[in-house]
Amino acid sequence: KHVAEALESGHVRTALERSAAALERTPGNNLCKAVHAMNLELLGRREEALALCQEVLHARTTDISVLAHLAAVYRKMGKYAEITEVYEVAHQDAPGKEELAQGLLLAFASEGRLQKQQSLALKLYREYSTPRYLHSAVASIVLQVAAVGAHRSLDLAEVLLQRLPIAL
């Protein structure tokens, strides 16, 4: 709470001090580590931030809040493959958590791994019957076609679009 207040008011050094104090009180807390890593990155201390992120990654957490902080650190550094790794590990450890699968889906999209995005989106649609997953699958098909030219995948995209409910 105090760390967030410091960040909101633009006091990054204060936020870092507070996150360091929280980390000292609870050294095994992955959320404290992830928040501290985010503060370190904001101050340009990237190597320290990456080391903390790796420590959290090796703990194999599936806490969505912790993963979101790790993803924010990696995103600021332009390390999209690491974001994908974070969500892949978490999704392997807790395959039934839809939020983790969504994070992985977005990571695939950010990294441009369109085939994997399409495959996961279709799997999620089969599992949860949510139209947004069909939209994601169709979008990845269209992006693949844009990259390599027209092919049979467009037929699949058409079939998927026909499955979508019509909202009036």
Side-chain angles (χ1 to χ4, degrees), residues 105-106 109 114 117-126 128-144 153 156-167:
L105 188 68
L106 293 172
L114 301 173
Q117 178 190 358
Q118 175 189 340
S119 175
L120 181 58
L122 290 173
K123 178 183 172 198
L124 290 172
Y125 179 72
R126 284 190 296 274
Y128 298 106
S129 299
T130 306
R132 70 174 171 248
Y133 298 128
L134 274 184
H135 288 134
S136 181
V138 169
S140 66
I141 290 169
V142 169
L143 290 170
Q144 289 174 67
S153 294
L156 174 60
E158 182 181 5
V159 169
L160 293 176
L161 287 172
Q162 289 172 353
R163 286 186 188 172
L164 288 171
I166 297 174

Side-chain angles (χ1 to χ4, degrees), residues 55-75:
E55 198 176 310
V56 174
L57 184 60
H58 291 303
R60 299 186 74 95
T61 183
T62 59
D63 183 327
I64 196 71
S65 181
V66 172
L67 299 176
H69 282 85
L70 290 181
V73 172
Y74 286 133
R75 193 173 297 109

Side-chain angles (χ1 to χ4, degrees), residues 78-157:
K79 296 183 174 288
Y80 298 104
E82 283 79 356
I83 296 171
T84 303
E85 181 186 359
V86 164
Y87 282 104
E88 279 179 325
V89 168
H91 184 62
Q92 287 170 1
D93 290 348
K97 278 190 166 181
E98 186 177 7
E99 301 87 9
L100 297 178
Q102 286 174 351
L104 182 56
L105 188 68
L106 293 172
F108 284 150
S110 295
E111 204 178 345
R113 293 170 66 182
L114 301 173
Q115 186 64 41
K116 290 221 177 226
Q117 178 190 358
Q118 175 189 340
S119 175
L120 181 58
L122 290 173
K123 178 183 172 198
L124 290 172
Y125 179 72
R126 284 190 296 274
E127 197 169 326
Y128 298 106
S129 299
T130 306
R132 70 174 171 248
Y133 298 128
L134 274 184
H135 288 134
S136 181
V138 169
S140 66
I141 290 169
V142 169
L143 290 170
Q144 289 174 67
V145 167
V148 298
H151 51 80
R152 292 183 350 178
S153 294
L154 286 176
D155 296 336
L156 174 60

